[in-house]
Amino acid sequence: MSDFQAAARHLANLYTKSFGGKPNGRFRLSSKQVKELLGRKRIYPDDVVQLTRAAFEIGFVVIDMDSFFVVLSANAFVNYRRVSGEALTTAMAAP
């Protein structure tokens, strides 16, 4: 198992834990915490890509927000509304 796969599993485990006043669910962590999680002094763009891919493979989405990272379940996006072709065309035509 790679460092990224192990880190993704730790993130998935955190998703099920109670902290921050919530029983479980989405959370954010600092870049410093991600460095610690990966055992690195620096995080490079390729590291973020590999962590994001490893998390997605086990059903989680990691979003890099520059100064922190957000972790969500991929299932959170399943019920989002879909854009119809007509709605997109109308939005693109708006000034």
Side-chain angles (χ1 to χ4, degrees), residues 10-30 33 69-72:
H10 291 308
L11 294 175
N13 185 36
L14 276 169
Y15 194 87
T16 66
K17 303 295 182 199
S18 175
F19 62 88
K22 304 280 183 180
N24 60 28
R26 65 184 187 247
F27 61 93
R28 63 186 252 180
L29 63 164
S30 68
Q33 290 171 314
F69 292 81
V70 175
V71 179
L72 303 132

Side-chain angles (χ1 to χ4, degrees), residues 33-85:
Q33 290 171 314
V34 173
K35 290 176 200 173
E36 183 179 329
L37 184 66
L38 291 171
R40 296 174 189 223
K41 292 183 179 184
R42 291 181 182 82
I43 300 175
Y44 296 98
D46 187 55
D47 297 334
V48 174
V49 169
Q50 288 187 64
L51 178 60
T52 300
R53 285 181 179 167
F56 193 66
E57 288 293 322
I58 58 173
F60 291 89
V61 177
V62 175
I63 302 170
D64 180 0
M65 303 294 291
D66 285 332
S67 61
F68 61 91
F69 292 81
V70 175
V71 179
L72 303 132
S73 169
N75 288 334
F77 299 97
V78 172
N79 293 324
Y80 278 20
R81 60 190 178 137
R82 294 181 186 186
V83 176
S84 68

